[in-house]
Amino acid sequence: MTSPLTQTDSPALRLHVRGVVQGVGFRPFVHRLASRHALAGWVRNRENGVEIVVAGAPESLDAFVRDLRAEAPPLADIAEIEAAPGDVYGATSFTIVSSAESTHDRQAVAPDVTTCDACVRELNDPADRRYRYPFITCTDCGPRYTVIERMPYDRERTSMRAFTQCDACGREYATPGDRRHHSETNSCSVCGPTLSLRDATGGTTLGNACLEDAARLLRQGAIIALRGLGGFHLAVDATNDGAVRRLRRAKHRDAKPFALMVRTLADARAVADMSDAEMRLLASRERPIVVVSRRAESAVAASVAPGMATVGLMLPYTPLHHLLLETVGVPLVMTSGNLSDEPICASIDEAVDRLRGIADAFLVHDREIVSRVDDSVMRMAGDTPIFLRRARGFAPLPVPLPIAVPPHQAILAVGAHLKNTVTLATDRSAYVSPHVGDLDSLETLVHFRATVARLADLFHIEPTTVARDLHPGYLSTAEAERRRASKRVVVQHHHAHIAAVCAEHGVTQPVVGVACDGTGFGDDGTVWGAEVLVADLTRYERVAHLRPVPLPGSELAIRNPWRSALGYLALEPMLGPVFARAFDGVEARELEVARRQVERRVNTPVASSMGRLFDAAAAILGVRREARFEGQAAMELEALAGSRAGELLPFPIIPGPEKRLVLDPMPLLGALGERRAAGVPLEALAAAFHDSVVAATVAVVRRVCEDRGIGVVAVGGGTFQNARLVATFAREAAAAGLRVLVPRALPPNDGAISYGQAAVAAARVAREIS
Ligand SMILES: [Zn+2]
Ligand SMILES: [Zn+2]
Ligand SMILES: [Zn+2]
C-alpha cells in the first residue's frame, strides 16, 4: 500500500498529537489513514506525543484531521491536536520514521494491555504460526509500562530489546496494514522470550512442555511461582483446600482473602453470583480483580476467603495465563508473589531468593520486568465501579489536576503509610504510581524509592515541591524530609482524602467532605478517622466528627476489635452488661491490662475513627473480637448486612468543642447490644448499624451544608471501600438535594492520599504565585 504521487507544492500540515498515543498502534493507524486520504508525508513518535506531517488536497487534509480523532485506535486517548503549516520536502508516499528523542517534554506512557481477541484467536488456531505461543502480542495488546525503560516508545528502549525479530516477524513489523505493523513487542516462538520451569530438584523444562508439567504439579497440590506481566504470582489449585491452606501458612497470611483466576466468564459464574455490570467489569480491557458475591456451593475451597461472602475474581490477561488456565482446567488462586506485605517479586533471582521456601516450582520467562505492578482490584458500589487498588491496566496514566502546577515547578507527593502510592505532578497531570504497599518493611521502602525514581525518570520530572502527611512518624514523612526541595507542603490526612475526590472531579470550590477511615494524624495531635470537613483544595476546617474514644493499646486495637469496645465502654461504664459479649473469650489478664491502660491513659490515644466504631460494633454483636487483618470486622459486618434495609437506631448529634458537631455512637452501640441479647438476628443488626451510620452522617452533612450554603458533598477514606455504605450514602445525600462526589479514578482508601497531597500542593503553590 503506497500513496499516489503528491506534488511537493501541495498544502501541508504539521500536526502534534498529545495524549496516550504511543504503544497503542497509533502510527500504523496514521499510516492507514493517510494512505486512504492519498496524503504524503510521515509520522514519528516524539517524546511528547506523535508528530505527523501530511501534504495533499486541502479537503483531504481536513478529512484526515477529522478522522484522526474519530477513528483513533481503541487504546488511544487524544488529549490535543496542534496544527501548523508544514512541509514534506518532496515526499511522494507516507512513511513511519524512527523516533526523535528529546529530554524536555513528557508524554503519557500506556499501561499494559490485556491480550486482544484477535491474538487469543491466533493463540488457539493450530494453523497460525503463533499457535500456543505464550507471548503473542500485536499493536492492540501486550506489555507496555512493565517493559518500557524510557520514552519515546520504541523496541530499543524496552526490555524487548533483548529479542531480535526473526524474518517473519520483521516482515509483519514493516508491512503497512498488518496488525503488527510497528508493533514494538512483536515476537514469535522463533525469536521471542521463552518459558522455563524449574522444580525443587533443580530440574528444568523449556518451552511449552513446561505448561503441562506446571499443570500436573498444580493438580497435585503444588505451589507454583509464576512470572507474569508485572511480577510474580503464587498459584495453587483453588479447589484443593490442603494446597490453599499450605499457601496460607507459607505466606504467613492466615485469613486475608486470596484472588482467583478463572478461564472464562462461564467459569466465573460457577464460582460467583454476578450482575451484568460486574461481568462487564471482569471482562473489561483492564481485567482487574473484581470482588463479587461468592456462591455458597462451588468447587472452590472455603479456605480461599474464610468467613467472607465475597471472592475476588479475574480473567486471564496474558497469553501465558490463557494457556496455563486451559491446561490446568481448574480455577487457580493467584496471589502476589511475596511474603505478606512485601512488594511483589519481579526478577527471577529475587523470586528464587525470596520465594524459595514457599514455591515448589518456578514457571518463568526471560522477558525482564522493568516496572513491577500488581493487579488492580475493583468492586461495584451500586452502579459505580470503585477501586480498591489501582495498578495494572491503569497506572501510570495521569489523573488530571484541576489547578495546574505552575510552570518550571513539579511536585512529589509521598503518600500515606499504608497502601502507599506516590504521585509526581507537573502542569495539569498527576502521575499516580501503581500500588506500592505498606511502608513498614525495608523491601517496601526500597520499592518506594525505586518507584519515585522510575516515575521521575520516565516523565522527566524533577520535583521542586515535596508534599507529605502531617504524621511525624510515617516513614514517608522521613523520606520527604530527606529529599532536596525548594518547598515543602504538609497535608492533613483527611484533607488529602477529600482533596483527592474533589480534584478528580475537577471541583475547586468548597465542599462538605466526609472522610472515614481507620486512623490519620489530626492537627490537634489526636487520632482522627471520622471527620466532616468544610474544605477546598488549599485548606479545611473540621466541623464535625465522631465522639472521640480512648483506644487501649493504640495499634493493638486494629487487630483486636474488643479493645475498641472497651474504649467505648470507658465513656459509659454502666453499659457493661450490654457490651459483655465483646469480651467473651478474651484472656482475663489481657483484659485487665487493657482496662488499666484506659484508666491511666497509658499507650491509649484518643481517636475518632470510623474503622474502630465498626470494630466495636462487630465485637459487641459477637461477630469478631480479634481480627486477623485490618478491616476484617467491617468486611464481615458488610457481608452480614447484605442488601436488606435496616432499622434506624439512635445515633444523635451533640454539641462539641469550638462549635463542632459530634456524632455520639453510644446509644447506637447500646441498642445493638440490647437487641442482640434479645435475640434479634445478626443480619438485621448489621443492616441496622450500616443504615444508622449513613442516616446520622447524612444528617450532619445536611446541617453543615445548610449552615454554610454548600451544595456539594465529597466522600473518601478506607471505610468507603464498603460498597453498601458508599452506595447508600450517595443515594441518601442525593435524595437530600446534594451533589455527591464519590472516588472513581482512584481508590477511596489511602492509595489516593498521594494524589490528594499533590492536588493540595499544586493549589497552594499556585495561590502563592498568583
Ligand atoms: Zn493483540
Ligand atoms: Zn519471530
Ligand atoms: Zn486514610
Side-chain angles (χ1 to χ4, degrees):
M1 243 200 324
T2 47
S3 303
L5 280 174
T6 309
Q7 301 300 319
T8 47
D9 55 357
S10 295
L13 270 182
R14 180 180 295 268
L15 302 168
H16 210 133
V17 188
R18 292 194 183 83
V20 181
V21 289
Q22 289 191 23
V24 294
F26 200 78
R27 288 176 303 168
F29 153 71
V30 170
H31 187 283
R32 286 194 299 278
L33 198 63
S35 304
R36 195 171 86 206
H37 290 296
L39 300 174
W42 47 262
V43 57
R44 65 176 173 179
N45 278 346
R46 294 294 300 260
E47 183 114 18
N48 57 350
V50 164
E51 187 181 24
I52 305 166
V53 176
V54 275
E59 59 277 14
S60 302
L61 289 174
D62 288 347
F64 175 82
V65 175
R66 184 195 62 220
D67 294 346
L68 203 56
R69 271 193 191 280
E71 298 176 21
L75 302 178
D77 185 5
I78 296 177
E80 183 186 14
I81 301 178
E82 201 181 282
D87 209 324
V88 294
Y89 301 112
T92 55
S93 66
F94 195 88
T95 50
I96 296 177
V97 298
S98 68
S99 306
E101 192 174 3
S102 83
T103 55
H104 301 302
D105 231 329
R106 60 193 56 82
Q107 91 128 54
V109 174
D112 301 288
V113 188
T114 300
T115 311
C116 73
D117 292 345
C119 284
V120 172
R121 273 195 299 277
E122 290 171 351
L123 186 68
N124 294 319
D125 177 3
D128 192 273
R129 77 182 187 91
R130 289 190 180 82
Y131 176 56
R132 290 179 69 76
Y133 173 54
F135 306 96
I136 186 170
T137 65
C138 70
T139 49
D140 294 332
C141 73
R144 299 289 188 274
Y145 174 62
T146 54
V147 297
I148 293 173
E149 290 163 353
R150 276 171 302 126
M151 292 300 276
Y153 175 59
D154 269 326
R155 192 181 187 102
E156 74 229 38
R157 284 180 285 273
T158 71
S159 59
M160 282 303 289
R161 182 182 57 227
F163 308 96
T164 305
Q165 292 185 83
C166 67
D167 290 349
C169 286
R171 271 195 301 279
E172 292 166 337
Y173 184 90
T175 305
D178 192 287
R179 207 170 87 250
R180 298 188 169 88
H181 185 208
H182 276 266
S183 167
E184 306 301 345
T185 54
N186 196 29
S187 68
C188 71
S189 55
V190 175
C191 63
T194 46
L195 216 49
S196 62
L197 181 77
R198 308 165 178 205
D199 64 21
T201 63
T204 303
T205 343
L206 280 178
N208 272 26
C210 305
L211 289 166
E212 315 291 338
D213 288 352
R216 183 175 41 75
L217 287 170
L218 283 165
R219 282 192 299 262
Q220 289 167 357
I223 300 172
I224 303 277
L226 171 69
R227 193 183 205 198
L229 187 63
F232 274 80
H233 277 121
L234 288 165
V236 295
D237 175 355
T239 65
N240 183 334
D241 191 61
V244 177
R245 285 174 190 279
R246 198 159 73 84
L247 177 60
R248 286 204 176 280
R249 281 194 302 275
K251 255 195 90 153
H252 305 300
R253 174 159 155 159
D254 54 1
K256 217 168 169 180
F258 284 138
L260 303 183
M261 186 178 275
V262 290
R263 195 171 70 88
T264 62
L265 270 180
D267 290 354
R269 275 196 299 267
V271 176
D273 284 315
M274 292 175 293
S275 67
D276 289 347
E278 285 170 331
M279 282 191 278
R280 278 196 300 277
L281 191 58
L282 194 60
S284 64
R285 197 171 75 196
E286 292 81 8
R287 294 280 159 106
I289 294 171
V290 183
V291 176
V292 289
S293 300
R294 177 176 173 182
R295 275 190 198 278
E297 301 292 317
S298 90
V300 169
S303 50
V304 162
M308 306 300 297
T310 54
V311 64
L313 296 183
M314 65 180 144
L315 291 171
Y317 54 83
T318 69
L320 177 55
H321 294 143
H322 280 282
L323 293 171
L324 183 63
L325 266 288
E326 187 202 287
T327 313
V328 72
V330 290
L332 295 179
V333 164
M334 283 277 203
T335 184
S336 304
N338 54 13
L339 292 168
S340 278
D341 306 328
E342 286 184 0
I344 186 169
C345 293
S347 80
I348 296 176
D349 289 348
E350 182 187 17
V352 168
D353 183 42
R354 282 166 55 197
L355 304 178
R356 192 179 350 203
I358 301 179
D360 300 306
F362 292 80
L363 180 57
V364 302
H365 59 74
D366 54 357
R367 186 186 67 214
E368 287 312 315
I369 296 169
V370 179
S371 292
R372 59 188 97 201
V373 54
D374 287 271
D375 294 314
S376 291
V377 185
M378 302 182 79
R379 72 184 304 190
M380 294 299 298
D383 304 327
T384 308
I386 57 170
F387 279 104
L388 303 183
R389 181 164 78 196
R390 178 184 183 268
R392 174 182 51 76
F394 299 94
L397 285 180
V399 182
L401 286 174
I403 297 179
V405 182
H408 312 299
Q409 302 208 38
I411 292 164
L412 164 65
V414 296
H417 184 66
L418 299 177
K419 297 186 168 70
N420 179 273
T421 60
V422 296
T423 293
L424 279 143
T426 175
D427 194 20
R428 280 185 187 276
S429 296
Y431 300 93
V432 184
S433 77
H435 172 79
V436 171
D438 298 349
L439 285 181
D440 32 33
S441 71
L442 180 62
E443 285 80 3
T444 315
L445 179 63
V446 169
H447 180 33
F448 167 95
R449 289 179 181 160
T451 304
V452 172
R454 180 94 193 90
L455 291 182
D457 194 38
L458 208 48
F459 298 109
H460 304 301
I461 294 175
E462 273 182 47
T464 51
T465 294
V466 177
R468 67 157 171 95
D469 196 274
L470 179 62
H471 198 304
Y474 277 3
L475 211 49
S476 59
T477 295
E479 286 296 301
E481 293 303 313
R482 63 181 272 281
R483 295 191 69 96
R484 271 191 294 135
S486 53
K487 187 171 171 58
R488 287 169 207 283
V489 175
V490 176
V491 186
Q492 197 278 327
H493 188 89
H494 302 97
H495 184 211
H497 271 307
I498 298 307
V501 181
C502 291
E504 71 150 286
H505 288 279
V507 169
T508 55
Q509 79 263 33
V511 302
V512 174
V514 182
C516 293
D517 62 6
T519 53
F521 196 79
D523 60 24
D524 58 357
T526 69
V527 177
W528 293 8
E531 314 304 315
V532 179
L533 311 176
V534 169
D536 61 18
L537 294 180
T538 54
R539 61 209 158 85
Y540 71 94
E541 180 190 348
R542 186 192 196 202
V543 293
H545 54 83
L546 198 59
R547 184 173 170 192
V549 59
L551 269 189
S554 189
E555 296 294 298
L556 268 182
I558 293 171
R559 293 291 182 107
N560 296 278
W562 64 266
R563 287 177 178 267
S564 293
L566 190 67
Y568 276 108
L569 187 56
L571 300 181
E572 282 177 38
M574 69 283 194
L575 282 173
V578 181
F579 276 36
R581 206 177 294 265
F583 313 109
D584 274 358
V586 176
E587 208 194 310
R589 212 176 55 87
E590 209 183 344
L591 189 58
E592 193 42 45
V593 170
R595 280 214 170 93
R596 247 178 284 138
Q597 282 180 321
V598 177
E599 267 167 34
R600 298 178 192 164
R601 293 298 156 98
V602 177
N603 191 21
T604 298
V606 169
S608 56
S609 159
M610 186 58 82
R612 299 297 82 81
L613 177 62
F614 269 77
D615 285 350
I620 289 163
L621 290 173
V623 171
R624 179 154 296 281
R625 298 168 191 93
E626 292 178 6
R628 290 189 280 180
F629 55 91
E630 183 174 18
Q632 187 180 17
M635 286 163 86
E636 285 170 346
L637 280 185
E638 183 188 356
L640 279 169
S643 56
R644 63 182 63 72
E647 180 191 5
L648 289 189
L649 301 173
F651 194 169
I653 303 168
I654 58 174
E658 297 165 37
K659 293 192 187 159
R660 292 197 299 263
L661 302 173
V662 170
L663 278 163
D664 181 10
M666 293 312 294
L668 170 61
L669 293 174
L672 286 177
E674 278 164 17
R675 279 166 175 70
R676 179 78 177 101
V680 177
L682 273 180
E683 291 80 0
L685 293 176
F689 175 72
H690 276 80
D691 286 356
S692 303
V693 167
V694 168
T697 316
V698 171
V700 167
V701 165
R702 289 183 68 166
R703 267 173 69 171
V704 176
C705 283
E706 273 165 31
D707 279 3
R708 303 296 182 103
I710 293 172
V712 185
V713 55
V715 301
T719 301
F720 288 105
Q721 294 174 102
N722 182 321
R724 178 186 169 121
L725 204 68
V726 73
T728 46
F729 181 90
R731 191 184 65 218
E732 297 296 316
L738 299 171
R739 180 181 170 208
V740 188
L741 309 178
V742 168
R744 293 285 309 264
L746 292 165
N749 61 40
D750 286 1
I753 289 291
S754 67
Y755 171 71
Q757 290 169 344
V760 169
R764 288 193 189 155
V765 172
R767 192 188 50 183
E768 271 173 23
I769 283 174
S770 63

